[in-house]
Amino acid sequence: MAALGTPSGTIEILKKYNFNFQKKYGQNFLIDTHILEKIIEVSGITGEDCVLEIGPGIGTMTQYLARKAKHVIAVEIDQALIPILEDTLSGHTNVTVINEDILKLDMKQMIEEKNGGKPIKVTANLPYYITTPIIMELLESHVPVESITVMVQKEVADRMQTGPGSKDYGALSLAVQYYTKPEVMIQVPPTCFMPKPKVGSTVIRLTRYSMPPVKVREEKHMFALIRASFNQRRKMLVNSLANAPGLGLAKEEVEKALEIMGLPVTIRGEKLSLEDFAGLSDLLGNGGKNHISF
Ligand code: SAM
């Protein structure tokens, strides 16, 4: 059998199993060995690591990961790929394939079972239709993860790295930058995939901080404020927050908090930095209610 990660090896295995690509699952398989080697290199995987691969496809990257890591957990939603994975990974005893939707899996429990609760590394060529929910889940649910090295749509990598004032700035940028240090590692053209995606791709590495770069009393409250601010990003912040169900904030209260922080009351959420959101949350959260008196 020709090596996976090449056009001929991929076609051979797809033909053998009469596999049809499922567009709804974002299936674009890597067919470039040079890119695969680089992804493994920048993931920094060692023989001590337990690696989670989200969406192994036909097992191309899984084979590379299995050669480097102590253990690989590969979670694939498409049942049609399971017999293929059994075939392509038959030479590796350190791989566990789970046929499940990654967004339905209890990752904390899985890491507890497979790695004694110790932090794992995530390496994946992600299905692009669910990149944001996967990343948000990995970050916000405090799953023990040391680093996340993932192929994403180029525009999404831009969103992860950008700051206030940019049109790409939003809840994803703030979550990524609060929990991790993002670094763009590789730019990947559509020709490296089968079938070719319509968009350019980027491999980005997110290294989890042991201590976030800003201090906030109630992390969950800060992210509730951030979500509400960007749900109505064209509105003034005071209106977005005062209208947001669940926050229970009065317009005057938000205005007062902005005044205390020395920010204009007409400001939009997209102009606030991570530090600003942390400060605002400390003033408006339950722990800080007494800071505002009328
Ligand atoms: N890792 C392979 C590669 O690089 O060639 C395939 C990557 S392909 C971009 C994304 C993979 O994620 C597909 O195999 C797809 O079936 C799988 N997938 C899509 N949605 C998923 C989900 N919710 N949970 C787990 N896997 C999913």
Side-chain angles (χ1 to χ4, degrees):
M1 189 168 78
L4 294 179
T6 61
S8 57
T10 301
I11 290 168
E12 194 182 320
I13 197 88
L14 295 179
K15 276 204 173 138
K16 180 173 169 191
Y17 286 89
N18 207 8
F19 177 79
N20 293 313
F21 286 103
Q22 298 268 2
K23 220 176 166 188
K24 66 171 179 186
Y25 288 147
Q27 292 174 341
N28 300 95
F29 299 161
L30 266 168
I31 49 161
D32 188 305
T33 52
H34 178 63
I35 295 291
L36 282 153
E37 279 158 17
K38 273 184 110 171
I39 295 173
I40 303 303
E41 186 191 319
V42 300
S43 300
I45 292 161
T46 72
E48 305 288 298
D49 289 321
C50 178
V51 178
L52 167 64
E53 186 189 9
I54 299 161
I58 57 172
T60 310
M61 193 152 78
T62 327
Q63 290 185 342
Y64 284 77
L65 291 169
R67 278 182 223 126
K68 279 265 173 183
K70 182 171 81 184
H71 195 86
V72 182
I73 307 162
V75 180
E76 174 56 60
I77 197 170
D78 188 353
Q79 207 176 358
L81 287 166
I82 304 304
I84 302 184
L85 287 165
E86 275 166 16
D87 183 352
T88 59
L89 301 173
S90 60
H92 299 279
T93 53
N94 60 342
V95 181
T96 308
V97 175
I98 301 176
N99 183 201
E100 183 56 280
D101 178 345
I102 190 68
L103 295 175
K104 294 202 178 126
L105 197 73
D106 184 338
M107 285 196 261
K108 248 188 189 161
Q109 193 192 327
M110 184 193 68
I111 295 169
E112 190 57 54
E113 277 169 24
K114 305 280 182 214
N115 205 36
K118 292 196 298 291
I120 56 152
K121 286 180 179 161
V122 176
T123 306
N125 170 14
L126 286 180
Y128 291 173
Y129 74 107
I130 44 167
T131 301
T132 302
I134 291 175
I135 298 291
M136 291 304 251
E137 174 67 17
L138 284 169
L139 299 178
E140 286 192 307
S141 63
H142 289 264
V143 179
V145 167
E146 200 177 317
S147 63
I148 304 170
T149 306
V150 278
M151 176 95 71
V152 297
Q153 197 176 322
K154 187 186 170 302
E155 284 71 22
V156 177
D158 293 343
R159 267 197 265 151
M160 289 179 177
Q161 287 197 301
T162 198
S166 149
K167 68 171 180 22
D168 294 328
Y169 184 57
L172 180 67
S173 333
L174 285 152
V176 163
Q177 292 164 35
Y178 177 74
Y179 291 109
T180 76
K181 177 175 166 223
E183 292 166 285
V184 162
M185 307 310 278
I186 318 165
Q187 300 293 352
V188 187
T191 47
C192 296
F193 301 86
M194 182 184 293
K196 280 191 211 124
K198 290 196 177 73
V199 292
S201 301
T202 297
V203 176
I204 190 162
R205 183 174 70 197
L206 313 175
T207 309
R208 185 134 193 153
Y209 290 125
S210 47
M211 284 278 281
V214 305
K215 265 207 161 122
V216 63
R217 239 188 326 258
E218 297 167 72
E219 211 173 273
K220 273 212 168 93
H221 179 265
M222 177 176 77
F223 280 104
L225 286 186
I226 288 172
R227 282 206 169 81
S229 309
F230 289 98
N231 273 345
Q232 299 175 302
R233 63 183 296 145
R234 305 307 301 160
K235 284 199 171 167
M236 290 194 313
L237 185 74
V238 280
N239 293 328
S240 309
L241 296 187
N243 289 339
L247 282 177
L249 290 169
K251 197 171 167 179
E252 298 71 36
E253 211 176 347
V254 183
E255 281 173 347
K256 183 81 186 166
L258 288 175
E259 248 172 57
I260 294 171
M261 293 176 67
L263 294 170
V265 291
T266 53
I267 200 165
R268 287 185 186 150
E270 61 193 12
K271 295 277 184 221
L272 265 66
S273 66
L274 184 55
E275 289 78 4
D276 293 334
F277 276 113
L280 196 63
S281 172
D282 281 353
L283 286 170
L284 294 173
N286 285 333
K289 273 244 151 90
N290 53 355
H291 284 240
I292 302 191
S293 47
F294 293 98

